Amino acid sequence: MKKFTSIIFVMLIACCFLISGCSGATLTMPQNYNSTASNGGFVVGVGNYLYFANAYKGYSTLTQGSDNDGSAVAQHSIKRAEVEANAQNSLVLDEDDKIKFENVLNKIAGYETSNMFVVGEYLYFTSPNIHKNDSKEEDKYNTYEFELSSLFRIKLDGSNFDEIYTTETSSAKFYLTGGENKTLLVFDDSKIMRLNCYANATKLQDLATEVQSTVFPYDQQLEVQNIYFTANKEEGSDFTGNVLKVLNLQNGEINDVAGYSKDKETITLISYTGERLFYTRSGLTVSALCSNDFSKGSSSEKEHKYEITSMTAGATLRVVSNIEDYGVNCFVFEYNNNIFMQDLDADNDNAYEKLTNATDAKIAFVDGTYVYYTTANGIFRVSVLGEHAVQQVSDITSFNTTALDFDGRYVYFYASIANAETQTQYLHRADVNACASGVIKTECIAELLEEDIVEE
């Protein structure tokens, strides 16, 4: 009887580990796991597998810590599916002709600030914080702050789960550098920090403190040499405005950018390509958007005059640079619910071109010479070349416009299922190769709740 009881106990413990996501090595390692696609969002292609956040769950819907742990998030967990070795990148099906899903971890990864990266044998991702506040502030003490993000990592086979860091603010930024020594940069709580993923580090190191603001490149895995940031005036100084500084990622040195620490001038950072920095300068004579590749000297600053009367940090602006193939070098931006382009090298900076004719166009991302954007009617793309023909990528209208990802072939997004019992937003993808031929090809690739499975 004691032996039988012991067996039951062991089985129960095993089930608890499975439900909580604290599993051992229950999965096989992907083949060629150093080959990755789409690092940085909520979908990552790793060798012969696709890792993804199965469904979207906003942190504003969470009410208690258990909402992001164990079986409560089984349908919103991180899953993976094997990819067929064919030109279509189809997902492997089981004997019932359904996608063969494998559960990696029961944690929310598709939410307002999704970040998912693969370096070596590990998957790094952020998830809504589930720790209670231990602050002495009466209105915060012992409350959950789901708007904060926790950074985790787990081995690609489902083992070695670690919590690395929990942010102090809801506006933290994450960026994975390229090259052999991949490093995860984190901006949070007035600090720029790094995690040396290439060395399997699990602790963040401070690179810069007392940082007012910074912008990371919007393209992941660039071999970035420098990071620019602004800082407040030095304590005790009569200097007003702010200071532009540069952090050298190779040697860790921080220096003022020459000519950009002027009294009564405020610099607002807008965007960074890894080479060219976009910003505005106010308080002096310059009021337009400026850009500069500081490696070519401060004299390379260029002013851009266009219809937007004011720009703030976080404004939507993307650069299209494809000189070798198409001879185009421009930036695109949103204005009055439409998308415009402007040549970076043109002598006449007032020469805009309107790319869209919509009432609610929002830039999602740029790939090659295509600008991908959303409207209430679906997902579209428009080329900056020729006559700027518009192609529709997806005609699903009940989708989350704030969460899109791209792996070079498919646009990934979250949408509810027609005639479903719940309003769960499941992962979908649309084939951009099909839309080039005028065909819209979308599919749901998520594992559905039983009540959402529509019987044929």
Side-chain angles (χ1 to χ4, degrees), residues 19-22 65-74 106-108 130 161:
I19 292 173
S20 66
C22 300
S66 58
D67 288 348
N68 188 16
D69 197 21
S71 59
V73 292
N106 285 341
K107 284 289 183 184
I108 295 170
I130 61 169
F161 176 61

Side-chain angles (χ1 to χ4, degrees), residues 92-100 456:
V92 172
L93 305 180
D94 60 19
E95 59 275 7
D96 296 323
D97 289 334
K98 296 179 180 179
I99 297 173
K100 186 178 179 181
E456 297 184 7

Side-chain angles (χ1 to χ4, degrees), residues 241-259:
N242 60 9
V243 179
L244 182 63
K245 294 179 176 287
V246 58
L247 164 66
N248 186 302
L249 293 176
Q250 273 62 49
N251 56 31
E253 291 183 359
I254 298 174
N255 293 292
D256 289 0
V257 178

Side-chain angles (χ1 to χ4, degrees), residues 163-177:
E163 181 174 350
I164 296 173
Y165 176 75
T166 295
T167 67
E168 298 289 338
T169 69
S170 60
S171 56
K173 302 175 183 177
F174 297 81
Y175 181 77
L176 182 67
T177 66

Side-chain angles (χ1 to χ4, degrees), residues 143-159:
T143 60
Y144 289 109
E145 294 179 290
F146 298 113
E147 71 277 11
L148 306 181
S149 289
S150 294
L151 174 65
F152 299 97
R153 78 168 189 177
I154 189 169
K155 209 167 182 180
L156 295 171
D157 63 5
S159 65

Side-chain angles (χ1 to χ4, degrees), residues 298-315:
S298 59
S299 60
S300 63
E301 179 178 82
K302 188 175 181 61
E303 293 181 33
H304 307 283
K305 301 173 183 177
Y306 57 105
E307 296 181 36
I308 294 181
T309 56
S310 65
M311 295 200 66
T312 58

